[in-house]
Amino acid sequence: MALLMRSAPTADTEARDWVVTEIPPEQFSSHRSAMAQGSWMGWFDMAVWLKTPAGAMQPLQLELVYRDGSGEHRVPVDRCPAGGHRTVLLNAALPLSFSGRVSWAAFVLKRLAPEIKVSLDLSHLVPQERRATRTD
């Protein structure tokens, strides 16, 4: 299990956003309301399980970041207070609005201090209503 990668190089003492994991765009297009063009909305269940061996020395804030036809969007998902937690679950079921197809998406920890050691255990993003599959 690898430590998370920093999303942008800055001073080593500065808090920054960390990409937890990228999400395949197909996860969004499998929603039954998904459209290749135009505006659409869908509910999604999302969860990220993290390992924090030294505890969460600061609050952890998870965001979903995605790019669609109208640009980049940041959606707050969940927040965990600081504490001696060795594992953390951040999750939500949220309605998301889109313009056309999603071209890129990721779960991101917002403003994570560089001394905080966090690794991804498991994550998921699941449409609450999937497209019907054909059984021909």
Side-chain angles (χ1 to χ4, degrees), residues 43 48 58 127:
W43 280 82
V48 171
Q58 73 174 71

Side-chain angles (χ1 to χ4, degrees), residues 46-70:
M46 49 196 90
V48 171
W49 289 265
L50 302 171
K51 290 189 178 191
T52 54
M57 300 182 299
Q58 73 174 71
L60 300 177
Q61 301 174 63
L62 183 69
E63 290 185 332
L64 171 67
V65 180
Y66 65 92
R67 290 184 201 118
D68 64 9
S70 65

